[in-house]
Amino acid sequence: MWRLLVPLRYLRISHPEKIKFDLYFPVVFAICLSLPLLSEKFRADAQTTLDILGRSSDLLSILIGFFVAALAAVATFGGEGMDEPMAGAEPVTLLNQAGNADELSRRRFLSYLFGYLALASIFIYLLGFTFYGAQTYLISAMVPAWANFSFVAFWMIYALLLGNLLSNTLLGLFYLTDRIHRPNRVVTFKGKANPKSNDSKAA
């Protein structure tokens, strides 16, 4: 069973900057996605003419394939430094089964990242599909007075999950488009080289 959830180890990766992509940015994105809920007309149209859930599900189905392809690309990418510990003032670590913190290479970090994004996309897609069925055939049919409230509550949770997906997708795109093509910077001081970068962010 645990093998099915291995991509979730990404959430256990430790670095001072990582919480921004796992929590802070997703909350900001979720608030932006939830602002239209203040409009009564949006709440009414979102489930009918706008079909917000259906459109987002279409996007998720595309993203699943992209993340799987990106995972395959990262696993086979032969760039210099992909298998070296990630540069930065703070190491990027993951607790192993023995309870020790392993420093991650860029390849392992990106493999966990895109594996997590692929799994999260599948989960969010299935969550939306399940809610649509429950909203259409159970709530709206049996307790229609709750339909508006259930949609608002669902959308706030859905928006947070989408925010997390968007935030980490942008992080992954940064690596794919720029960072993996640049070698680790080498800082020299009094003739001694330090393979670690002065950059405190995950590199």
Side-chain angles (χ1 to χ4, degrees):
M1 178 65 182
W2 64 270
R3 293 178 178 86
L4 302 178
L5 303 177
V6 164
L8 292 180
R9 287 182 181 175
Y10 172 75
L11 296 175
R12 299 177 60 190
I13 293 177
S14 177
H15 188 273
E17 293 287 322
K18 188 169 176 289
I19 192 172
K20 295 180 181 179
F21 297 93
D22 290 347
L23 183 61
Y24 299 161
F25 294 154
V27 168
V28 173
F29 292 146
I31 291 174
C32 294
L33 291 172
S34 299
L35 284 178
L37 292 174
L38 297 175
S39 168
E40 183 177 352
K41 188 175 188 305
F42 172 82
R43 296 196 299 269
D45 293 345
Q47 304 175 71
T48 54
T49 57
L50 293 179
D51 190 21
I52 296 295
L53 191 57
R55 294 175 185 270
S56 60
S57 295
D58 290 341
L59 176 60
L60 287 171
S61 64
I62 296 173
L63 288 177
I64 292 170
F66 168 75
F67 293 140
V68 172
L71 178 59
V74 165
T76 58
F77 185 77
E80 182 181 354
M82 285 292 290
D83 296 309
E84 299 175 358
M86 297 178 69
E90 297 285 344
V92 180
T93 60
L94 174 65
L95 289 179
N96 58 29
Q97 293 181 347
N100 300 318
D102 290 336
E103 289 193 29
L104 296 182
S105 65
R106 192 169 293 117
R107 190 186 307 279
R108 285 191 67 194
F109 173 77
L110 290 177
S111 293
Y112 279 121
L113 172 59
F114 286 108
Y116 167 75
L117 289 172
L119 181 62
S121 299
I122 295 172
F123 172 77
I124 297 172
Y125 179 87
L126 293 177
L127 179 65
F129 182 81
T130 302
F131 172 78
Y132 176 80
Q135 181 81 342
T136 303
Y137 300 105
L138 291 178
I139 298 176
S140 295
M142 301 176 65
V143 280
W146 292 8
N148 191 51
F149 172 78
S150 64
F151 174 76
V152 171
F154 165 79
W155 185 257
M156 293 178 68
I157 298 173
Y158 194 70
L160 183 60
L161 294 175
L162 288 178
N164 180 272
L165 188 72
L166 174 59
S167 175
N168 284 287
T169 297
L170 294 176
L171 177 63
L173 289 177
F174 160 70
Y175 276 98
L176 288 183
T177 57
D178 178 67
R179 189 61 186 91
I180 64 173
H181 304 289
R182 291 188 283 112
N184 293 338
R185 288 179 290 175
V186 177
V187 180
T188 58
F189 182 71
K190 292 185 179 180
K192 295 182 179 181
N194 181 0
K196 296 290 187 179
S197 161
N198 284 334
D199 188 358
S200 62
K201 297 182 180 180

